[in-house]
Amino acid sequence: MANSLARMVKGQVRCYSAPLDMAIPASKQRYIPTSGTYPQGFQVSGTHVGVKASNTRFPDLALISSETPCSAAAVFTTNKFQAAPVQVSKKTLASRKGDGIRAVVINSGCANAVTGKGGLEDAVAMGRKVDECSGVENDSSLVMSTGVIGQRLPITKILDRIPTAHSTLASTHEAWLTTARAICTTDTFPKLLSRTFTLPSSNRTYSLAGMTKGAGMIHPNMATLLGVLCTDAPVESAALQSILKHAVNRSFNSISIDGDTSTNDTIAVLANGAAGGETVREPTAAPSADYTALKGVFTDFAQELSQLVVRDGEGATKFVTVRVRNSSDYDSGRLIASTIARSPLVKTALYGKDANWGRILCAVGYTQGVAEGVVVPERTSVSFRPVDGSETLKLLVDGEPESVDEERASAILQNEDLEIEVDLGGGEQGAAGCGGEDAVYWFCDFSHEYVTINGDYRT
């Protein structure tokens, strides 16, 4: 009887999900920055509204504001049931042609999705209240929401607290961290990064900061995922859009938690040019050195930020990189990586620390949309690559199974981080076909905890 009770209690303990008191688990503390270098001219705040009645004290309204007008760009969910804030923000960006944006306002706790005309009115009201507090013209703010679908926002409560959010704007690291926390839902930790960079045209130092949220319903395009990036570099909106699209395709569109996507997903970037210098413009012929450099900075930054989402996957115990090499077609390689990343059988095997590479191979073989001749069984190889730099464990070489050291395989799978390498054996043809670029996805495992979290998400 005592043993049965112990097992029952143990089954109810959430080891990997967000504690009810919002305390950050010890295992996730290392992902929280203790300081940062933030872009000039931006201020942020995180304010408690109580969008969900159960939230009595934690911030759930985020405001990111620029002292001057910004160039802006965004990518949005491709889900046909696009939430009201997605529709409103898309319209705002289109009407302004990406210029003159001053702020982003985000609430957590309610997605304002599938809420009809009233939901659209609520999203517009949120943006215009921010505009009013900032003393700027209407439709200068982008709006985002995250949380439960199909419920109306407590809009009066939110509008009443936006002036407080505006009056408490600050540029400190603590303010940025609180703001990142305000957009969390089932996240176990706030996801915030910042860095400095230079561009070839000058020796000026620019700053880039970004925050994101997401832990479940994560799979391109994009996911239950919100993100805001801010920079004080001068970038025209057209260049910003193409740079963001490239970066997102190799970061937020290359992660998977559970293969589901949502109605609200938005990644936006604001550039206010406060640090000065020559404006980075969309190339009309060969790209400028500044454009190429900035694209690299944004891509690296977005990859690092998106990987924090995977590390916080609902119930996740592993962070897995899948790298598809030597594909004669890059898009086919991405499709294969994506299929492996969302395979429940691969994900559950990794959770169970089972080196069941047959599941990986099956996912390669059933991937749809792959170009003819990309996957040839006789030249396909699968390996586990330990992140500690030790020797690669080969599982399949040119279609022939290896004699696997199960003890070493088990030891590798004990680690939190793991890389799966699939080599399609395209050789020089493959390298030329995909420009030498590996197709990479980042994903996590499936645990008992994932089912627990999502089985009672609304209750």
Side-chain angles (χ1 to χ4, degrees):
M1 180 69 174
N3 288 338
S4 297
L5 180 61
R7 284 195 298 270
M8 182 180 72
V9 172
K10 182 179 179 181
Q12 293 175 344
V13 174
R14 295 188 169 186
C15 302
Y16 305 105
S17 58
L20 295 179
D21 62 357
M22 296 297 288
I24 298 169
S27 62
K28 306 293 179 68
Q29 290 283 351
R30 65 185 183 276
Y31 303 123
I32 311 301
T34 57
S35 62
T37 305
Y38 299 101
Q40 300 176 42
F42 284 97
Q43 293 187 314
V44 298
S45 67
T47 304
H48 172 256
V49 172
V51 173
K52 292 179 72 172
S54 58
N55 177 14
T56 59
R57 59 192 179 97
F58 299 111
D60 53 0
L61 181 71
L63 181 59
I64 299 97
S65 179
S66 173
E67 296 170 357
T68 55
C70 299
S71 299
V75 290
F76 299 94
T77 179
T78 58
N79 194 298
K80 289 182 173 59
F81 292 94
Q82 296 191 342
V86 170
Q87 296 179 56
V88 169
S89 292
K90 288 176 75 172
K91 184 177 179 180
T92 297
L93 280 173
S95 66
R96 288 189 163 275
K97 296 181 172 58
D99 294 322
I101 301 299
R102 293 292 293 267
V104 181
V105 60
I106 311 168
N107 76 271
S108 61
C110 178
N112 190 13
V114 198
T115 47
K117 292 181 180 179
L120 289 169
E121 293 169 357
D122 291 345
V124 169
M126 284 178 62
R128 290 190 173 176
K129 188 66 174 181
V130 172
D131 297 337
E132 177 187 321
C133 291
S134 303
V136 298
E137 60 184 325
N138 282 341
D139 305 323
S140 297
S141 298
L142 304 182
V143 183
M144 303 182 194
S145 298
T146 182
V148 176
I149 294 170
Q151 297 179 4
R152 288 286 298 275
L153 291 170
I155 190 61
T156 300
K157 291 171 66 175
I158 292 174
L159 297 180
D160 286 347
R161 294 294 284 169
I162 285 177
T164 301
H166 187 269
S167 68
T168 55
L169 287 168
S171 56
T172 64
H173 171 68
E174 290 72 22
W176 279 88
L177 197 57
T178 300
T179 306
R181 187 154 201 166
I183 66 177
C184 292
T185 50
T186 59
D187 307 61
T188 68
F189 66 93
K191 299 161 185 66
L192 173 69
L193 292 176
S194 65
R195 67 173 52 166
T196 59
F197 63 94
T198 58
L199 295 175
S201 65
S202 74
N203 59 1
R204 294 174 188 267
T205 298
Y206 297 106
S207 295
L208 173 62
M211 63 184 72
T212 188
K213 64 82 52 183
M217 288 184 79
I218 303 292
H219 188 76
N221 287 304
M222 283 177 297
T224 303
L225 190 150
L226 302 180
V228 179
L229 280 64
C230 302
T231 184
D232 51 17
V235 192
E236 69 167 6
S237 57
L240 208 56
Q241 185 66 48
S242 63
I243 287 171
L244 180 65
K245 182 178 179 180
H246 179 275
V248 166
N249 280 342
R250 287 158 176 77
S251 57
F252 292 100
N253 276 347
S254 293
I255 61 175
S256 186
I257 301 298
D258 47 22
D260 267 312
T261 62
S262 186
T263 53
N264 291 59
D265 321 322
T266 305
I267 302 289
V269 57
L270 305 181
N272 65 7
E278 187 175 335
T279 300
V280 178
R281 302 190 183 280
E282 175 74 356
T284 55
S288 68
D290 280 359
Y291 178 90
T292 300
L294 190 62
K295 185 166 69 171
V297 168
F298 267 71
T299 300
D300 291 345
F301 185 83
Q303 286 180 347
E304 188 176 348
L305 192 60
S306 67
Q307 288 170 26
L308 293 178
V309 175
V310 178
R311 292 194 178 279
D312 200 23
E314 289 174 345
T317 70
K318 293 210 179 319
F319 175 84
V320 188
T321 302
V322 56
R323 185 180 304 275
V324 178
R325 307 189 62 197
N326 292 318
S327 172
S328 56
D329 176 72
Y330 174 74
D331 290 338
S332 293
R334 270 183 61 85
L335 286 171
I336 291 168
S338 171
T339 303
I340 295 169
R342 69 174 185 266
S343 165
L345 291 180
V346 171
K347 293 159 81 70
T348 50
L350 293 173
Y351 173 63
K353 303 177 179 62
D354 179 9
N356 193 341
W357 56 266
R359 294 181 175 181
I360 300 169
L361 195 67
C362 281
V364 174
Y366 68 64
T367 300
Q368 297 184 0
V370 173
E372 187 70 28
V374 169
V375 178
V376 178
E378 292 77 16
R379 69 183 189 208
T380 301
S381 302
V382 178
S383 305
F384 285 162
R385 186 180 293 276
V387 295
D388 61 7
S390 59
E391 186 178 357
T392 297
L393 179 63
K394 296 180 179 180
L395 306 168
L396 180 79
V397 177
D398 294 332
E400 294 289 336
E402 293 290 285
S403 179
V404 178
D405 182 343
E406 294 290 348
E407 186 173 333
R408 180 154 187 264
S410 179
I412 291 173
L413 291 173
Q414 294 294 326
N415 297 319
E416 179 182 340
D417 287 22
L418 170 71
E419 180 171 321
I420 297 170
E421 181 179 288
V422 176
D423 192 329
L424 297 178
E428 293 182 2
Q429 177 189 1
C434 62
E437 184 177 3
D438 295 344
V440 183
Y441 254 69
W442 297 275
F443 70 102
C444 62
D445 56 348
F446 264 161
S447 70
H448 301 292
E449 188 71 12
Y450 177 84
V451 178
T452 301
I453 293 167
N454 285 283
D456 61 6
Y457 180 72
R458 293 204 308 159
T459 55

